[in-house]
């Protein structure tokens, strides 16, 4: 009846079922239920923490893959700059080929993880062309551009551009996003200045 229901909840309200149940249970059963109530949120928090840490570890692992790949790519870029500055220097071309072989081995092992295959193929084509014959001004410029594109592809594909820690993000941005294009511009200015100096006056004053 409604009167009996009211009496049931009269003293303890919504907690009445639990209170009455606990009065009938032995101490061990009560302790087990209380322990379970405290453990459930702890277990839930532990699972959430484990998932968050697993995601961070996976993210960092891919970043380390990118660092390894870029450590093999940057020497190739360095020698590509040298070949563009003096395409007739056989030592620069030989060094380019040697460093590219190291990059090729690294790419075969971890390149697919970074989705950098297209950029790598373009660089390989430019390197093969530089080794097989004396590079022209246009092919030397394409060699440098393809190396720069591979740096960008590896950086993007390895989560380095998504680094959530600001200190390491700015370090990465300076070393990989800003420095290579800046170096490219500086070397182009140097090459233009050297070419202008070596070619002598570009015009004469007619009498």
């Amino acid at each position: 009846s409604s009167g009996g229901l009211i009496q049931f909840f009269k003293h303890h309200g919504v907690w009445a079922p639990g209170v009455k149940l606990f009065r009938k249970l032995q101490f061990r059963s009560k302790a087990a239920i209380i322990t379970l109530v405290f453990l459930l949120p702890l277990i839930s928090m532990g699972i959430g923490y484990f998932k968050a840490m697993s995601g961070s570890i996976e993210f960092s692992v891919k970043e380390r893959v990118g660092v390894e790949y870029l450590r093999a790519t940057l020497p190739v870029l360095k020698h590509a700059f040298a070949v563009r500055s003096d395409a007739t220097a056989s030592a620069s071309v030989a060094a380019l080929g040697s460093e590219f072989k190291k990059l090729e081995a690294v790419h075969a092992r971890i390149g697919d993880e970074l989705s950098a295959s297209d950029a790598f193929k373009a660089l390989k084509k430019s390197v093969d062309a530089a080794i097989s014959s004396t590079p022209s001004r246009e092919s030397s410029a394409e060699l440098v551009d393809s190396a720069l594109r591979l740096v960008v592809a590896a950086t993007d594909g390895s989560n380095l551009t998504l680094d959530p820690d600001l200190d390491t993000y700015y370090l990465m941005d300076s070393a990989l996003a800003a420095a290579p294009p800046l170096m490219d511009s500086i070397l182009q200015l140097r090459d233009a200045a050297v070419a202008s100096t070596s070619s002598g006056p570009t015009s004469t004053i007619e009498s």
Side-chain angles (χ1 to χ4, degrees):
S1 63
S2 59
L5 189 61
I6 293 173
Q7 288 296 322
F8 183 80
F9 290 99
K10 182 178 180 180
H11 298 290
H12 302 288
V14 295
W15 305 106
V19 172
K20 295 185 180 299
L21 174 64
F22 263 55
R23 286 175 178 173
K24 295 180 180 180
L25 295 176
Q26 295 181 353
F27 175 79
R28 291 183 179 180
S29 300
K30 294 177 183 179
I33 293 175
I34 293 173
T35 302
L36 182 61
V37 168
F38 278 100
L39 280 178
L40 286 176
L42 290 175
I43 292 172
S44 178
M45 291 174 60
I47 293 173
Y49 179 79
F50 178 77
K51 288 182 178 179
M53 289 299 100
S54 297
S56 297
I57 292 172
E58 184 178 351
F59 192 94
S60 299
V61 167
K62 197 166 186 181
E63 284 184 317
R64 295 185 63 164
V65 170
V67 169
E68 181 182 357
Y69 192 92
L70 287 163
R71 288 181 67 180
T73 304
L74 292 177
V76 176
L77 176 61
K78 172 187 174 182
H79 292 297
F81 285 143
V83 169
R84 185 180 63 185
S85 297
D86 186 2
T88 60
S90 59
S92 297
V93 176
L96 173 68
S98 176
E99 292 297 339
F100 185 78
K101 286 182 180 179
K102 298 177 184 177
L103 172 61
E104 201 167 23
V106 173
H107 179 81
R109 183 162 46 85
I110 60 177
D112 290 341
E113 297 182 43
L114 306 177
S115 302
S117 295
D118 291 341
F120 176 81
K121 289 177 182 177
L123 177 58
K124 178 176 172 56
K125 182 178 178 181
S126 296
V127 171
D128 289 343
I131 294 174
S132 61
S133 60
T134 302
S136 63
R137 181 181 298 272
E138 292 75 14
S139 62
S140 297
E142 176 57 30
L143 173 64
V144 172
D145 289 343
S146 60
L148 288 170
R149 287 194 293 269
L150 181 58
V151 170
V152 173
T155 305
D156 290 342
S158 62
N159 293 335
L160 283 167
T161 50
L162 302 176
D163 194 333
D165 296 325
L166 284 180
D167 49 355
T168 52
Y169 170 80
Y170 285 122
L171 177 62
M172 176 283 306
D173 187 62
S174 299
L176 299 176
L182 178 60
M183 184 64 68
D184 180 33
S185 299
I186 292 172
L187 292 176
Q188 287 191 66
L189 287 173
R190 185 201 66 178
D191 294 342
V194 171
S196 176
T197 302
S198 61
S199 63
T202 57
S203 62
T204 59
I205 300 177
E206 296 183 359
S207 56

